[in-house]
Amino acid sequence: MMLSRIAESLYWMARHLERVDNTARVLDINVVHMLEADENATEEMQWKPLLAIVNAEDCYARAYPDGRITVQRVIHLLTQDRSNPGCLFNSLKLARENARVVRDRISNAMWETLNQFWLATDKHLATTLPPWRAAEFYAFVHREVATFFGLSQSTMMRGQAYGFTALGSLQERADMTARILDVRYHLLLPDVSRVGSPLDYYQWGALLKSLSCFETYRRQYQGGINPLEVVEFVVLNPNYPRSLTYCVNGIAQALERIGDSPNGAVTDQLLALRAHLSGITAAHILDQGLHEYLDEFLARLGAFSDALQADYFDAYLGDAP
């Protein structure tokens, strides 16, 4: 069994880097499409949902006690505010620190790419990032993260190290997919007066673009954007790389590479996750309530994370005394 401190660093290296990309993803969509929104939409209406998606509402309230939500404040808090543990800058810093611990377990190309990514980002964010420059920066982030994970695919042996790397990335991705769908769907669904309007199409399109699947969805479903089909695609499609089903299936494959946990808690939690996604249709999910369904999924994912920590990382299996 791999040293658990090495396994944990591989896992968090990938998880933090996936978080970097996801944070840039939701910010990028809002920045790029900010001008297309309803002219009556305030900055708060456009940017408050992002705080909910990344669970930064309390952090924002501490940083800005007046409660006023603006594009510049949200960009700063989620991108470069050092006091926010989950900001893009801090997530990338942690990814690099964990990668340094496991330099002998990843390829030189992976380390050099991540290190250069960090140095360039540190330079980019030395001053405040204005909205007009943000889209360009987030596009840079997407390219660098894609390069790193592409190198992991093409240069890592398919063993335990690869398994823990894939596990961290897929777990973070599943978490963010569920949060994006939950928050944006909640905002879109209640306003039936706008169903079928250009703004409605734009908002649903923004949701799909946040998950990098707008074009893929349109090829799969050619009758426009339908909430039932969005849920089917994003939750249940086993071939879409950001769907909940795809991520959980990938987590199962990663665990097969890693090997069984000592007491089976991880296996039990994985079975609970898979059971939650199997034998159900999008219509049934909406009937029981999408928020409730996704909330339970996130709770099960959290329980899986706790079991993983206890079984693989806290135990220090195989570590020297």
Side-chain angles (χ1 to χ4, degrees):
M1 174 64 69
M2 175 181 292
L3 293 176
S4 61
R5 61 177 177 270
I6 299 298
E8 187 172 18
S9 288
L10 286 162
Y11 168 85
W12 281 109
M13 171 194 73
R15 186 157 188 180
H16 283 303
L17 198 57
E18 183 75 31
R19 189 172 298 171
V20 166
D21 187 54
N22 287 331
T23 302
R25 186 180 306 280
V26 293
L27 283 163
D28 188 27
I29 296 303
N30 257 43
V31 169
V32 170
H33 298 282
M34 179 164 66
L35 298 178
E36 299 177 27
D38 186 345
E39 61 182 12
N40 295 319
T42 64
E43 280 188 274
E44 179 170 354
M45 291 168 61
Q46 294 179 60
W47 291 92
K48 187 176 181 179
L50 270 68
L51 300 174
I53 288 171
V54 299
N55 199 27
E57 292 164 304
D58 291 343
C59 187
Y60 189 95
R62 288 192 297 271
Y64 304 105
D66 65 9
R68 191 167 60 90
I69 296 177
T70 69
V71 53
Q72 184 63 73
R73 285 180 171 187
V74 174
I75 286 176
H76 180 75
L77 183 83
L78 300 186
T79 304
Q80 62 189 132
D81 189 337
R82 312 301 200 267
S83 69
N84 174 15
C87 79
L88 188 154
F89 178 90
N90 285 334
S91 294
L92 181 55
K93 182 180 180 181
L94 288 169
R96 178 179 177 269
E97 288 176 358
N98 280 284
R100 187 166 51 191
V101 173
V102 295
R103 280 190 65 175
D104 62 335
R105 303 300 179 104
I106 62 177
S107 66
N108 285 336
M110 290 170 66
W111 164 252
E112 289 169 3
T113 294
L114 183 52
N115 191 47
Q116 288 300 316
F117 179 22
W118 160 252
L119 293 173
T121 297
D122 191 33
K123 182 178 180 180
H124 269 297
L125 300 182
T127 57
T128 299
L129 184 69
W132 59 265
R133 196 163 59 85
E136 180 182 344
F137 173 70
Y138 297 138
F140 161 74
V141 169
H142 297 323
R143 289 194 300 270
E144 293 300 308
V145 173
T147 298
F148 179 88
F149 282 123
L151 287 168
S152 74
Q153 290 287 325
S154 61
T155 64
M156 288 189 80
M157 291 287 289
R158 295 311 193 256
Q160 288 186 342
Y162 180 83
F164 280 111
T165 302
L167 189 60
S169 175
L170 289 164
Q171 192 175 338
E172 182 67 26
R173 187 181 301 175
D175 181 89
M176 181 60 85
T177 294
R179 291 178 184 279
I180 289 174
L181 182 58
D182 186 23
V183 172
R184 287 202 177 273
Y185 188 89
H186 175 74
L187 290 170
L188 289 168
L189 194 61
D191 195 351
V192 294
S193 66
R194 287 178 172 170
V195 172
S197 69
L199 178 63
D200 182 62
Y201 184 85
Y202 154 75
Q203 294 283 11
W204 282 106
L207 186 157
L208 294 171
K209 289 173 182 177
S210 296
L211 295 167
S212 294
C213 65
F214 181 76
E215 294 83 3
T216 309
Y217 174 91
R218 291 293 306 278
R219 286 192 290 269
Q220 183 89 6
Y221 304 99
Q222 299 178 4
I225 301 178
N226 178 289
L228 184 70
E229 292 170 344
V230 170
V231 172
E232 181 179 71
F233 189 74
V234 173
V235 175
L236 301 174
N237 192 309
N239 298 314
Y240 163 52
R242 291 189 174 273
S243 80
L244 302 186
T245 295
Y246 181 97
C247 290
V248 171
N249 288 344
I251 286 171
Q253 293 171 3
L255 286 174
E256 288 178 8
R257 295 187 187 280
I258 292 166
D260 293 335
S261 61
N263 61 25
V266 163
T267 302
D268 291 343
Q269 295 301 333
L270 176 63
L271 288 173
L273 273 172
R274 302 193 88 167
H276 189 61
L277 293 165
S278 64
I280 194 167
T281 65
H284 288 148
I285 291 173
L286 293 179
D287 285 344
Q288 74 178 60
L290 180 63
H291 171 71
E292 290 75 15
Y293 181 85
L294 293 174
D295 206 38
E296 184 177 349
F297 175 84
L298 288 168
R300 294 189 183 198
L301 191 65
F304 173 84
S305 182
D306 292 341
L308 186 74
Q309 184 70 36
D311 280 12
Y312 287 102
F313 304 149
D314 291 346
Y316 287 90
L317 297 173
D319 283 9

